[in-house]
Amino acid sequence: MHWAVKTLSRLVQPPAGGGDTVDWDTLRAATGWEFPADYRDFVAACGMGTISESIGVLTPPFDGCPYDDHLLFRAERPLEGGVLTWVSNEAGDDFLWRCAGEPEQLKVIFRPRNRRQERVYDMGMAEFLLRLVEGEIRPPLGAEFAMPATFASWREEQRLLDEGDDLEGF
């Protein structure tokens, strides 16, 4: 497991049953693009969900995925050379990759909802999330980021929906 995902998992406490199981080989064949190892490890450990009720981490579709709005739903095709949003926050800002070059060299791009002043972080997604959770970086988020950080899986959201609970924060 990627070092940043290990540390992040200790801080945000992923679901006890783990994350989501994605067939990465089939996905690579369908998209022609390989996803970074830290992202694959994050998906396996945490899966699709929300960090601190503020930023939603998207995953590719997987068996049992309850949502149509997944990582590839609005993706530019082909992925190679395009951009791919892997996180959105409650203010409508996006975090994405420019899908060019080696997967392990992809940098996090912050794109505010007004599409001006993109900012590039010279690190992968897991290190970015870790540094965000640890308070080392403060990206220009348009939404609040509650500390200490927590992770809520899509399964928890589904459980609350099934029980008819209030979903404020999801």
Side-chain angles (χ1 to χ4, degrees):
M1 181 180 293
H2 189 275
W3 68 269
V5 175
K6 278 185 194 178
T7 305
L8 186 60
S9 293
R10 287 193 300 268
L11 297 174
V12 300
Q13 299 181 7
D20 300 315
T21 302
V22 173
D23 184 339
W24 297 106
D25 293 332
T26 299
L27 190 62
R28 182 175 44 245
T31 64
W33 195 66
E34 184 168 343
F35 288 80
D38 64 335
Y39 177 75
R40 295 189 314 259
D41 288 349
F42 180 88
V43 170
C46 296
M48 181 171 40
T50 307
I51 297 176
S52 292
E53 298 180 356
S54 180
I55 59 175
V57 180
L58 300 171
T59 65
F62 50 87
D63 284 342
C65 182
Y67 307 111
D68 290 332
D69 193 5
H70 51 71
L71 181 76
L72 301 175
F73 183 66
R74 292 187 184 97
E76 298 175 8
R77 301 291 176 129
L79 291 181
E80 185 65 38
V83 295
L84 185 60
T85 301
W86 53 270
V87 162
S88 294
N89 70 14
E90 63 190 38
D93 303 321
D94 293 325
F95 297 84
L96 47 100
W97 295 299
R98 192 160 322 286
C99 303
E102 294 299 315
E104 305 316 314
Q105 302 303 316
L106 297 181
K107 296 170 177 49
V108 172
I109 301 169
F110 170 77
R111 179 182 285 169
R113 72 173 169 258
N114 65 14
R115 304 261 180 202
R116 288 184 269 174
Q117 299 178 341
E118 281 187 356
R119 181 171 176 186
V120 177
Y121 293 87
D122 191 16
M123 63 193 76
M125 70 81 63
E127 182 179 355
F128 175 83
L129 290 176
L130 174 62
R131 292 178 68 184
L132 179 67
V133 164
E134 289 179 329
E136 286 182 39
I137 58 174
R138 295 278 183 211
L141 296 172
E144 294 294 317
F145 189 77
M147 299 298 265
T150 58
F151 182 81
S153 167
W154 67 270
R155 290 174 183 85
E156 178 65 9
E157 179 180 357
Q158 190 63 49
R159 184 188 65 76
L160 292 172
L161 279 171
D162 292 345
E163 292 176 1
D165 285 354
D166 180 17
L167 288 178
E168 187 172 335
F170 273 102

